[in-house]
Amino acid sequence: MLHLLTLLVLLSAATAAQKNSIFLLAGQSNMSGRGGVTGNSWDHFIPPECQPRPDILRLNAGLQWEKAVEPIHADIDVYATCGVGPGMPFAHAVLAAGRVATPVRLVPCAVGATRIREWARGTALYLNLMRRASAAMAEGGKLAAVLWYQGETDTISREDAVAYGGRMKTLVSDLRRDLGDPDLLIIQSKISSMPHRNSFGPTEEVNTTVLNSINSSQLTALHINLAARTPRSKTD
């Protein structure tokens, strides 16, 4: 598990020659953000580390850049109520470290309750991610990284949990090939240690396969502890 400082050094190298720092945000509800959501209602509380600032932009559903304001996935993960997620705290953190070019450009793509197989090459989610990535890079610049926060729904069946590592490795390979960067940085978070409400058991089996995929796929692991910084995102 790499510390944040090591991660920021990698990000600095990835973006030093680029005019933009572009980050794809993909996965399920913990990425799209459920912080502050109860039932179908968001409390509209935005912590300091999630506040908007002029040097953090997001690509909206219409493929236009705008100032990023929580909930940044509201027009992407449209079948659920979105709240605070990890994208804005991440952007604040990398800007505070002074390791990336400005502005930081976030490209929300996450959709709640999705299994990793729904992100496989050729699926609707994968094709949408590619479409949004292409739009994000149209004005120049290069992707700095893909932030991936997903896996709770893959704990519902043991078959999905066991297959997670292999599916993740395939996804990483496909992303790097289709985005034209064999060294594209993939930042992957461990999922919550609390089991999904429909899970067959603890989520550690998925986390084990996540870590195995990291070791064999040269991914970068980052455990985003929202509980310490923002209201913890809920599983779907």
Side-chain angles (χ1 to χ4, degrees):
M1 190 75 67
L2 297 181
H3 294 293
L4 182 59
L5 179 59
T6 305
L7 172 63
L8 293 174
V9 170
L10 291 172
L11 289 175
S12 179
T15 63
Q18 306 301 328
K19 71 175 185 179
N20 295 323
S21 299
I22 302 172
F23 297 91
L24 296 183
L25 311 179
Q28 60 179 106
S29 62
N30 275 339
M31 179 58 81
S32 62
R34 298 293 185 268
V37 174
T38 302
N40 294 320
S41 178
W42 176 47
D43 63 12
H44 293 272
F45 173 70
I46 302 178
E49 56 270 37
C50 297
Q51 290 289 331
R53 47 185 288 179
D55 51 359
I56 303 177
L57 307 178
R58 75 155 196 139
L59 191 71
N60 65 26
L63 305 181
Q64 300 297 313
W65 291 110
E66 63 185 18
K67 182 190 288 189
V69 178
E70 292 283 19
I72 62 173
H73 272 83
D75 59 349
I76 304 298
D77 189 7
V78 297
Y79 297 108
T81 301
C82 293
V84 170
M88 289 294 283
F90 176 85
H92 275 258
V94 295
L95 284 171
R99 295 280 183 169
V100 296
T102 57
V104 168
R105 296 177 181 259
L106 304 177
V107 184
C109 300
V111 176
T114 52
R115 291 175 170 83
I116 193 170
R117 65 173 181 257
E118 296 178 75
W119 290 88
R121 192 169 190 258
T123 62
L125 290 174
Y126 188 91
L127 293 174
N128 186 57
L129 182 148
M130 288 294 154
R131 178 180 69 94
R132 291 179 59 73
S134 295
M137 294 185 287
E139 298 178 4
K142 184 179 179 182
L143 289 178
V146 176
L147 278 66
W148 178 259
Y149 200 169
Q150 185 276 337
E152 291 90 342
T153 308
D154 286 275
T155 68
I156 295 175
S157 81
R158 185 173 296 276
E159 178 183 2
D160 283 337
V162 171
Y164 193 91
R167 289 170 176 166
M168 189 69 214
K169 286 191 288 185
T170 298
L171 178 60
V172 169
S173 177
D174 290 340
L175 287 172
R176 287 175 170 165
R177 180 177 63 252
D178 292 342
L179 291 170
D181 184 356
D183 299 314
L184 179 63
L185 185 64
I186 311 293
I187 304 170
Q188 184 175 13
S189 174
K190 289 178 61 178
I191 62 174
S192 170
S193 60
M194 294 295 291
H196 188 285
R197 63 173 179 267
N198 295 320
S199 174
F200 65 79
T203 60
E204 287 309 308
E205 186 155 0
V206 167
N207 275 334
T208 297
T209 59
V210 166
L211 294 175
N212 286 341
S213 74
I214 290 166
N215 293 335
S216 59
S217 298
Q218 299 180 339
L219 303 184
T220 296
L222 172 66
H223 185 191
I224 304 173
N225 183 7
L226 287 179
R229 309 197 61 178
T230 64
R232 179 71 187 184
S233 295
K234 299 186 294 183
T235 56
D236 297 296

